[in-house]
Amino acid sequence: MHDDRQLIEERLQRALRERIRPAVYGAAVPLDIEVWHAPGEPVSPAEALAQTYEPAAIGLPWGPAWGTAWFKFSGQVPAEWAGREIEAVIDLGFSGGPGFSAEGLVHTTGGRPLKGLHPRQTYAPLSILGPDGTAAAAGDSIEFYVEAAANPEVLGDAGGFSPTTIGDKPEPGGKPIYQLTRADLAVFNAEVWDLILDLEALDGLQRELSLQEPRRREILRALSRSLDALDYEDVAKTAADARAQLTDVLSRPAHASAHQVSAVGHAHIDSAWLWPLRETRRKVARTVSNVATLAEEYPELVFAFSQAQQHAWVKENYPEVWERLKKAVAEGTIVPVGGMWVESDTNLPGGEALARQFVHGKRFFLDEYGIDTQEVWLPDSFGYTAALPQLVKLSGSKWFLTQKISWNKENKFPHHTFWWEGLDGTRIFTHFPPIDTYNSDLSGRELARAQRNFQENGAATRSLAPFGYGDGGGGPTREFVATARRVANLESSPRVTIESPTEFFSAAEEEYAEQAPVWSGELYLEIHRATYTSQAKTKQGNRRSEHLLREAELWSAAAVVAGKLDTYPYAELDRIWKAVLLNQFHDILPGSSISWVHREAEETYARLGAELEAIIAKAQQALAGDGSSSIVFNAAPHTRNGVAGLGAAVAAAAETPVSVANGVLDNGVIRVTIDERGLITSLYDVEAAREVIAPGAVGNLLQLHVDTPNQWDAWDVDSFYKNNVRDVTEVDSVDFSTVDGVATVVVKRSFNRSTVTQTLRLEPGAKRVDIETEMDWHEAEKFLKASYPVDVHADRSASETQFGHIFRPTHQNTSWDAAKFEIAAHRWVHVAEAGYGVAVVNDSTYGHDINRTARPDGGTTTTIRTSLIRAPRYPDPKTDQGVHTVNHALVVGAGIPEAISEGYRINLPERVVTGAEGVAPLVTIDNPNLVVEALKLADDQSGDVIVRLYESTGGRSRGTLTPSFATTSVTEVDLLERHLADRDLDGGVALDLRPFQILTLRLKRS
């Protein structure tokens, strides 16, 4: 037989495009149109419907970027259409894909939301267009409204990453960017629609089969016969005949050994990205309305809906949609998943913040639905911390799902179903869908890829496929669910069953748990490494908010327990935590959203900071009382300057003074030499009798790189950035002085369009150099780093992560090692050889690169570089322009314990309050390796004290926790403060923690 494959495939594509798809709708009558253009931000349906509407027509320009138009559509259904399927077809002028372009929400005349509209879902069935969302019939008059959102195409043509100002919050008076294209009542030709799905399902499948497979040729022949049976002049009349030619190839069952796909409806909705937070509220309402309406037609639909924040938005803003959502959850159609407040980034949030993601997320689902979610759902975050498995388990969950690791650039991840082992040894059953997308359309191409790609073939048989339009929401459509029916049991394709994530995980774990491989440590994403640095003010706001929340909880709890305050600020802290957690979403905190989002985040952090400062000041003043003494409050977990951790005391006298002479800063512990360029040429550790700065090198060297990644500008830094570097050694001035007993050097530099002022400080008795860097930054596509080359032979570095630290290689032995050319760390990084180490601590940065080089003298230089600031141009061309101040410290002779304590010190500076007395810590622990991360009153408002602590050094640690208040009992609880075990109380609580173990205790006050 001659090979006519290409001829048939091309014939089919043109027939679908030009003949068959246009025939889905038959007879049509236009709807009457009226419009009201909202003048600014979105308004409620009640307010919109009360406005005066103007007559409009097809072709009407509408919607300046980010604007809203409310359309009123009305008409009469022709009586002669009785017995036929009828739909309103509304095309708002879509120019892009679902979730990224104009979107609409259909409302009744009473303002009740009914169904979303987007570029692949332009219809509203007659079954919901009657009075108050009831069914209408032939001969009836209908009237409904559409709230149309003019979301611009920020992504640009083909994802070109071109700089654009369209992501700014708009000024009034913008030009319309869309035109209303269609508004009709039309007859829906279901047979034609079914034919399209038959043809697409088979064509997608056969294209994935090898050319030699008989099944591929059989499908091709059937497709050809189907087209032969179709009369292009009357597609609707002959569609049934065309479908009949496909019956045989569609009815053949899957092979007995076929892979099993659990398909779950999904709509990945970024809580902010190329749109602001306020738009996501509307996206969620549109998507939930779509799903609830679709489930009425397809009762087998199961939809996984993550992010408690998005559920909360529905409850707060759309009461009618909330009632539909609760009903769908109760019926099992919509399944809450994830157990987190948002799908957060996991590299950058602090330990307690990541714990609170689970606390607030799971508690919302428990309180509102009575559901204790079991799976953590993070398909799109930019890498996954090794702290997650323990936090997942302590939250009461047991499964984990991600998709993003399929984006790895250098190495293909070796597993799809596996046990993920965290830094403390906790393991959770994890799945990584081989379909390689969280927005599947269940096409033959995607299903075949899932079957081929599944790494566990031969040992396991199941994978999960989230299907539906996503990123900007939308969710599954009737086409997707109907396709699932067609491929449920189809020869050469996997078997497909629509079911919940819980059903999938339960079956997968039962089948494969004993054989599943183990992946230990972080899930490092080999792309999007610049998210550790982009949008510095957003990251700084997050870090500061986390530590202010720690202080507000600590001192408020101490004041209430001491009887100095009557009430603990439960409501205020709950609200503030949720706002901070929202901004940890994986496109906000990483710095990959539009300008509007990040400017709003900065405003939020400023407001929250002021509120938290007021809460802290009120509690501290109550504790200190009336007096004239200077009381030093130490919120860090370790004693410093004579003040106990978590306590307060009268300020101690200053230690031995420092000296400044001939460019040398000396406090008797370390000597720092600064040259005429303002660079550290020597850092001598007196006690260890060794030079810290590597021979021939200089410390605190600013290095400027050209930073032009191939794509994903705000997200990516490509390894070739290192090929173009400029050492910034020019200096405007270098001034030495002693300020309040502290040796100080102020270095001012100018380069390109930017200036940097650095203040280096050496305090009495300190084994560190503090470096404050103020940058007035006006660069484009540049990357600024600060370099610290030290004379230490280290083959690995330690980086603080949530509730512990992880080690990463400083060499590039393998492609996995080389891929980690930029790494994330929290408050500190540390390098060491046997007997000696150096740490760099920070108060608001995350990105680092750490490498080593061999010297001619035979020694090794290990260079720590901190990433200070970037200047990507997409999606926010103004990224990081302006003034920024960050703080670092170079700590010498430091082990891991010193790195930990110095990291807390720089993030929790001492506060001085004028008062009468100090404050005993609420709890003390006699082992500094056991670190208190949170101290607060219980969320149930019982007055119990909650202490969360962890083993910080990576070894087994024992100690005793002693409360300073009368305590009747102690229990071990999970993150949600639910009982796990009783603990003995004999004057104190005996502690015996494994490496990096997290322990939460509830202390009941007498």
Side-chain angles (χ1 to χ4, degrees), residues 860-876:
T860 300
T861 298
T862 300
T863 301
I864 303 170
R865 297 204 308 163
T866 63
S867 302
L868 297 176
I869 202 161
R870 297 185 68 231
R873 301 177 65 207
Y874 178 86
D876 175 11

mmCIF file of all heavy atoms in Angstrom, residues 860-876:
data_model
loop_
_atom_site.group_PDB
_atom_site.id
_atom_site.type_symbol
_atom_site.label_atom_id
_atom_site.label_comp_id
_atom_site.label_asym_id
_atom_site.label_seq_id
_atom_site.Cartn_x
_atom_site.Cartn_y
_atom_site.Cartn_z
ATOM 1 N N THR A 860 43.700 26.248 48.609
ATOM 2 C CA THR A 860 42.382 26.323 47.973
ATOM 3 C C THR A 860 41.677 27.596 48.441
ATOM 4 O O THR A 860 41.639 27.879 49.635
ATOM 5 C CB THR A 860 41.517 25.108 48.339
ATOM 6 O OG1 THR A 860 42.174 23.920 47.908
ATOM 7 C CG2 THR A 860 40.146 25.192 47.685
ATOM 8 N N THR A 861 41.139 28.328 47.497
ATOM 9 C CA THR A 861 40.301 29.481 47.803
ATOM 10 C C THR A 861 38.838 29.097 47.604
ATOM 11 O O THR A 861 38.460 28.637 46.526
ATOM 12 C CB THR A 861 40.636 30.681 46.906
ATOM 13 O OG1 THR A 861 41.983 31.086 47.136
ATOM 14 C CG2 THR A 861 39.694 31.844 47.181
ATOM 15 N N THR A 862 38.055 29.257 48.637
ATOM 16 C CA THR A 862 36.615 29.055 48.520
ATOM 17 C C THR A 862 35.957 30.439 48.519
ATOM 18 O O THR A 862 36.147 31.217 49.458
ATOM 19 C CB THR A 862 36.073 28.218 49.684
ATOM 20 O OG1 THR A 862 36.722 26.941 49.684
ATOM 21 C CG2 THR A 862 34.577 28.015 49.538
ATOM 22 N N THR A 863 35.236 30.744 47.468
ATOM 23 C CA THR A 863 34.652 32.074 47.298
ATOM 24 C C THR A 863 33.144 32.017 47.510
ATOM 25 O O THR A 863 32.445 31.283 46.807
ATOM 26 C CB THR A 863 34.954 32.644 45.910
ATOM 27 O OG1 THR A 863 36.368 32.713 45.731
ATOM 28 C CG2 THR A 863 34.350 34.031 45.757
ATOM 29 N N ILE A 864 32.704 32.780 48.493
ATOM 30 C CA ILE A 864 31.267 32.942 48.736
ATOM 31 C C ILE A 864 30.840 34.241 48.072
ATOM 32 O O ILE A 864 31.422 35.309 48.337
ATOM 33 C CB ILE A 864 30.961 33.023 50.247
ATOM 34 C CG1 ILE A 864 31.478 31.784 50.971
ATOM 35 C CG2 ILE A 864 29.474 33.227 50.482
ATOM 36 C CD1 ILE A 864 31.426 31.926 52.489
ATOM 37 N N ARG A 865 29.843 34.161 47.212
ATOM 38 C CA ARG A 865 29.308 35.383 46.608
ATOM 39 C C ARG A 865 27.817 35.491 46.935
ATOM 40 O O ARG A 865 27.046 34.548 46.718
ATOM 41 C CB ARG A 865 29.526 35.394 45.105
ATOM 42 C CG ARG A 865 30.992 35.392 44.697
ATOM 43 C CD ARG A 865 31.204 35.979 43.312
ATOM 44 N NE ARG A 865 30.340 35.369 42.311
ATOM 45 C CZ ARG A 865 30.102 35.919 41.111
ATOM 46 N NH1 ARG A 865 30.638 37.089 40.793
ATOM 47 N NH2 ARG A 865 29.344 35.287 40.237
ATOM 48 N N THR A 866 27.451 36.627 47.467
ATOM 49 C CA THR A 866 26.035 36.887 47.739
ATOM 50 C C THR A 866 25.449 37.685 46.583
ATOM 51 O O THR A 866 26.085 38.609 46.058
ATOM 52 C CB THR A 866 25.860 37.675 49.044
ATOM 53 O OG1 THR A 866 26.481 38.957 48.908
ATOM 54 C CG2 THR A 866 26.484 36.936 50.211
ATOM 55 N N SER A 867 24.254 37.310 46.170
ATOM 56 C CA SER A 867 23.569 38.000 45.080
ATOM 57 C C SER A 867 22.806 39.189 45.663
ATOM 58 O O SER A 867 21.887 39.008 46.464
ATOM 59 C CB SER A 867 22.607 37.033 44.376
ATOM 60 O OG SER A 867 23.309 35.913 43.884
ATOM 61 N N LEU A 868 23.192 40.392 45.271
ATOM 62 C CA LEU A 868 22.624 41.594 45.871
ATOM 63 C C LEU A 868 21.382 42.098 45.141
ATOM 64 O O LEU A 868 20.369 42.396 45.771
ATOM 65 C CB LEU A 868 23.679 42.702 45.917
ATOM 66 C CG LEU A 868 24.909 42.429 46.782
ATOM 67 C CD1 LEU A 868 25.909 43.573 46.655
ATOM 68 C CD2 LEU A 868 24.504 42.224 48.234
ATOM 69 N N ILE A 869 21.460 42.203 43.808
ATOM 70 C CA ILE A 869 20.349 42.829 43.096
ATOM 71 C C ILE A 869 20.457 42.516 41.605
ATOM 72 O O ILE A 869 21.559 42.290 41.085
ATOM 73 C CB ILE A 869 20.339 44.356 43.340
ATOM 74 C CG1 ILE A 869 18.950 44.939 43.088
ATOM 75 C CG2 ILE A 869 21.425 45.063 42.556
ATOM 76 C CD1 ILE A 869 18.754 46.289 43.739
ATOM 77 N N ARG A 870 19.306 42.474 40.938
ATOM 78 C CA ARG A 870 19.249 42.240 39.494
ATOM 79 C C ARG A 870 18.487 43.395 38.832
ATOM 80 O O ARG A 870 17.991 44.295 39.514
ATOM 81 C CB ARG A 870 18.546 40.924 39.156
ATOM 82 C CG ARG A 870 19.230 39.688 39.669
ATOM 83 C CD ARG A 870 18.503 38.443 39.176
ATOM 84 N NE ARG A 870 18.629 38.251 37.751
ATOM 85 C CZ ARG A 870 17.597 38.026 36.915
ATOM 86 N NH1 ARG A 870 16.353 38.006 37.371
ATOM 87 N NH2 ARG A 870 17.790 37.851 35.629
ATOM 88 N N ALA A 871 18.358 43.303 37.509
ATOM 89 C CA ALA A 871 17.601 44.322 36.772
ATOM 90 C C ALA A 871 16.977 43.720 35.519
ATOM 91 O O ALA A 871 17.194 44.193 34.396
ATOM 92 C CB ALA A 871 18.506 45.489 36.403
ATOM 93 N N PRO A 872 16.170 42.645 35.664
ATOM 94 C CA PRO A 872 15.487 42.102 34.494
ATOM 95 C C PRO A 872 14.438 43.077 33.979
ATOM 96 O O PRO A 872 13.954 43.943 34.716
ATOM 97 C CB PRO A 872 14.845 40.816 35.034
ATOM 98 C CG PRO A 872 14.640 41.091 36.482
ATOM 99 C CD PRO A 872 15.796 41.947 36.900
ATOM 100 N N ARG A 873 14.033 42.934 32.738
ATOM 101 C CA ARG A 873 13.095 43.881 32.122
ATOM 102 C C ARG A 873 11.726 43.271 31.850
ATOM 103 O O ARG A 873 10.813 43.968 31.400
ATOM 104 C CB ARG A 873 13.698 44.432 30.832
ATOM 105 C CG ARG A 873 15.041 45.141 31.058
ATOM 106 C CD ARG A 873 15.649 45.616 29.757
ATOM 107 N NE ARG A 873 14.816 46.646 29.153
ATOM 108 C CZ ARG A 873 14.777 46.888 27.839
ATOM 109 N NH1 ARG A 873 15.496 46.140 27.015
ATOM 110 N NH2 ARG A 873 14.014 47.841 27.365
ATOM 111 N N TYR A 874 11.575 41.980 32.074
ATOM 112 C CA TYR A 874 10.272 41.336 31.861
ATOM 113 C C TYR A 874 9.982 40.415 33.040
ATOM 114 O O TYR A 874 10.888 39.701 33.472
ATOM 115 C CB TYR A 874 10.265 40.517 30.559
ATOM 116 C CG TYR A 874 8.944 39.805 30.356
ATOM 117 C CD1 TYR A 874 7.878 40.448 29.737
ATOM 118 C CD2 TYR A 874 8.746 38.515 30.833
ATOM 119 C CE1 TYR A 874 6.656 39.813 29.605
ATOM 120 C CE2 TYR A 874 7.527 37.885 30.703
ATOM 121 C CZ TYR A 874 6.485 38.535 30.085
ATOM 122 O OH TYR A 874 5.279 37.918 29.960
ATOM 123 N N PRO A 875 8.754 40.427 33.605
ATOM 124 C CA PRO A 875 7.574 41.176 33.141
ATOM 125 C C PRO A 875 7.478 42.585 33.696
ATOM 126 O O PRO A 875 6.524 43.292 33.366
ATOM 127 C CB PRO A 875 6.425 40.317 33.651
ATOM 128 C CG PRO A 875 6.932 39.712 34.906
ATOM 129 C CD PRO A 875 8.387 39.447 34.670
ATOM 130 N N ASP A 876 8.417 43.003 34.537
ATOM 131 C CA ASP A 876 8.398 44.349 35.100
ATOM 132 C C ASP A 876 9.654 45.071 34.664
ATOM 133 O O ASP A 876 10.744 44.819 35.194
ATOM 134 C CB ASP A 876 8.329 44.268 36.637
ATOM 135 C CG ASP A 876 8.437 45.623 37.313
ATOM 136 O OD1 ASP A 876 8.359 46.644 36.601
ATOM 137 O OD2 ASP A 876 8.595 45.668 38.544
#
